[in-house]
Amino acid sequence: MQHSGTSSNVNVRKTTLYSLVPGMGQFANGQPFKGLVFFSIFLVFLIQMALGGLRSLIGLVTLGSIPMEDHSLFILIQGTLQLIITIIFLIFYGLNLLDAKRVAVMRKDGKTINRTMKEVLHNVGDEGFPYLLTLPAYLLMVFTIIFPVLVTLFTAFTNYDFNHIPPASLIDWVGTKNFFSIFFLSSYRNTFFAVFSWTVIWTLCATTLQITLGIFTAVIAHQKFIKFRRIFGIIFLLPWAVPAFITIMSFSNIFNDSVGAINTQVIPFLNHLPFIDISAISWKTDPNWTKVAIILVQGWLGFPYIYVMVTGILQSISEDLYEAAKIDGANAWQRFSNITLPAVFLVAAPTFITQYTGNFNNFSMIYLFNNGGPGSVGGGAGSTDILISWIYKLTTGTSPQYSMASAITLIISAIVICVSLLVFKKTKAFNMED
């Protein structure tokens, strides 16, 4: 049974101040069960801080003081985890104060409140069900996404490199030095902008190619005059059916300069045709031709997914629209540009954007085809390395630069997030109301 409080003797400010010790405000509001739960959480946090939590927070600041005894990386990770736990507790602490004040106001206004354990649990199960349902997902997100991101963020502001490998050496905080080096130190700046510019070109060209091929094949296969459309559909899906790893390795051999099928079979066959004379192409030894090759291969790998999605969209477009357009005198291109494309982009724009962001970080294509080569642009990066594959080399080479890799990772994340949000806003990709 819910009870109403008297409005004459309730001091809201005093009750809120009681809750500076979590649970005390709830006790003052006549909610002993809730007060016990809040105080228990507060007590558990204090015990955890005493047993090592406070030491972990201090370690996050110092990153250790004695080489071979303090492992700076482990201290950083433990400190980050403790920081997250502390932030979660502070959020709980704030909610505890708000709860004490809210209930005190309800009592002052003479409203009913939940006092007994049964009433509190019933209220939580009723009004708080959505929060209980989503709480595990939020906790999982905190410890599987936010936690690694924070570790990467903190690492970007340290000097964690081949000269500072714990526990033999301690890691120190260096502030924004790594970011300064990327943009202003010539050895890193030149490499970063060379890799970044190619990453942008690769992303735009490869993704646009696969989207164009996907839409083109879907539209062609959708035409009524095309016979054996099911067979064509199966053929178009073959690149998707074969694991990408196998396909990339196969194309790597096909484009081999000396024994690959392109130079030994395709080009000689073309040279037998009139007015064609093509020399063997240095697909894997000339950086420019290697870039062309990997863009073509990604177009082959990526278009089946677009084809399947666009095929489904095309089937949902009413034929009456095309018939009306024909009656109005619209030609094939006008029907395609004014009916088909808008319908496709209305539904598929978010997916197309994720294709761009996915290729921006497409490590497999770059690394498996030619290991980011040929040649080098300095800083450990090959001529065809994109930012993500350069990061891999920075962390696995003979002279690892973990902090620099973390800094570049943060830059990548910022670019992807900003561009995605901007494009989503401009294209109104999620505004489906109309």
Side-chain angles (χ1 to χ4, degrees):
M1 178 180 177
Q2 293 181 324
H3 303 271
S4 60
T6 58
S7 59
S8 58
N9 57 353
V10 178
N11 189 322
V12 175
R13 184 173 180 275
K14 188 176 181 180
T15 303
T16 306
L17 290 176
Y18 280 150
S19 213
L20 290 174
V21 177
M24 294 300 104
Q26 285 71 29
F27 279 116
N29 280 324
Q31 297 177 304
F33 175 71
K34 187 188 289 186
L36 183 62
V37 172
F38 281 30
F39 183 74
S40 298
I41 295 174
F42 174 59
L43 191 60
V44 168
F45 177 75
L46 289 181
I47 294 173
Q48 190 271 335
M49 288 292 286
L51 292 179
L54 183 60
R55 184 170 64 251
S56 295
L57 288 178
I58 295 174
L60 184 60
V61 176
T62 63
L63 296 181
S65 55
I66 306 175
M68 296 304 295
E69 190 172 314
D70 295 332
H71 197 298
S72 295
L73 181 59
F74 291 165
I75 292 174
L76 175 64
I77 294 172
Q78 292 170 358
T80 304
L81 181 59
Q82 182 59 45
L83 179 63
I84 291 175
I85 293 174
T86 304
I87 292 173
I88 292 175
F89 172 77
L90 291 176
I91 293 173
F92 157 77
Y93 189 81
L95 293 175
N96 149 75
L97 293 171
L98 291 175
D99 177 76
K101 181 179 180 179
R102 179 183 62 84
V103 175
V105 170
M106 290 176 63
R107 289 174 59 214
K108 189 176 183 65
D109 294 339
K111 297 179 180 179
T112 56
I113 63 172
N114 301 305
R115 295 181 182 274
T116 66
M117 179 177 70
K118 183 179 179 180
E119 292 170 353
V120 171
L121 292 178
H122 181 270
N123 183 67
V124 170
D126 187 11
E127 296 183 7
F129 180 75
Y131 302 101
L132 291 177
L133 193 64
T134 57
L135 182 61
Y138 282 116
L139 291 177
L140 185 65
M141 180 183 68
V142 166
F143 291 104
T144 60
I145 299 178
I146 296 179
F147 175 49
V149 168
L150 277 180
V151 172
T152 302
L153 173 65
F154 291 151
T155 303
F157 294 92
T158 68
N159 61 351
Y160 186 23
D161 56 22
F162 64 96
N163 290 322
H164 302 87
I165 303 293
S169 300
L170 295 174
I171 299 174
D172 297 314
W173 296 107
V174 294
T176 58
K177 179 181 177 181
N178 294 316
F179 296 94
F180 181 87
S181 298
I182 290 173
F183 292 107
F184 298 104
L185 191 64
S186 60
S187 57
Y188 281 109
R189 182 189 64 225
N190 296 338
T191 302
F192 175 79
F193 283 107
V195 174
F196 175 73
S197 60
W198 159 237
T199 303
V200 173
I201 294 172
W202 145 258
T203 301
L204 294 176
C205 293
T207 312
T208 303
L209 176 62
Q210 70 186 53
I211 291 175
T212 303
L213 285 175
I215 295 176
F216 176 77
T217 52
V219 171
I220 294 298
H222 187 67
Q223 303 305 309
K224 292 181 178 180
F225 62 83
I226 299 293
K227 297 182 178 180
F228 309 111
R229 284 186 289 178
R230 290 183 181 274
I231 296 176
F232 280 109
I234 294 173
I235 294 174
F236 291 151
L237 286 177
L238 287 178
W240 201 14
V242 180
F245 176 87
I246 302 298
T247 303
I248 296 171
M249 296 300 292
S250 298
F251 272 109
S252 180
N253 293 325
I254 290 172
F255 280 95
N256 186 282
D257 291 1
S258 55
V259 297
I262 300 295
N263 280 350
T264 61
Q265 298 178 37
V266 177
I267 290 180
F269 172 77
L270 293 175
N271 285 335
H272 285 92
L273 300 176
F275 309 110
I276 295 180
D277 184 14
I278 305 175
S279 301
I281 298 174
S282 302
W283 293 109
K284 300 188 72 175
T285 54
D286 185 318
N288 293 324
W289 282 113
T290 303
K291 292 175 180 179
V292 171
I294 60 178
I295 289 173
L296 294 176
V297 174
Q298 182 56 38
W300 165 266
L301 279 173
F303 91 87
Y305 175 71
I306 305 297
Y307 163 78
V308 171
M309 180 179 58
V310 173
T311 298
I313 298 172
L314 293 178
Q315 292 174 355
S316 67
I317 302 176
S318 174
E319 289 294 330
D320 294 340
L321 294 175
Y322 292 106
E323 293 298 329
K326 287 181 181 178
I327 294 174
D328 290 340
N331 57 34
W333 171 252
Q334 290 172 329
R335 294 194 300 272
F336 173 75
S337 59
N338 290 288
I339 299 176
T340 306
L341 270 186
V344 169
F345 280 107
L346 177 65
V347 178
T351 303
F352 290 164
I353 294 169
T354 59
Q355 294 293 300
Y356 282 97
T357 57
N359 278 331
F360 193 86
N361 290 319
N362 193 339
F363 171 82
S364 300
M365 182 67 245
I366 303 300
Y367 190 78
L368 293 177
F369 186 82
N370 202 23
N371 196 23
S376 171
V377 292
S383 299
T384 59
D385 269 319
I386 59 176
L387 290 173
I388 192 68
S389 60
W390 182 31
I391 289 172
Y392 175 79
K393 291 182 177 180
L394 284 175
T395 56
T396 59
T398 55
S399 301
Q401 302 280 346
Y402 300 107
S403 57
M404 189 64 66
S406 297
I408 297 172
T409 301
L410 294 179
I411 294 173
I412 291 177
S413 301
I415 292 172
V416 171
I417 291 172
C418 291
V419 171
S420 298
L421 290 176
L422 180 63
V423 175
F424 279 139
K425 182 178 180 180
K426 292 294 184 182
T427 60
K428 298 181 179 180
F430 291 126
N431 293 346
M432 298 298 184
E433 293 84 355
D434 298 329

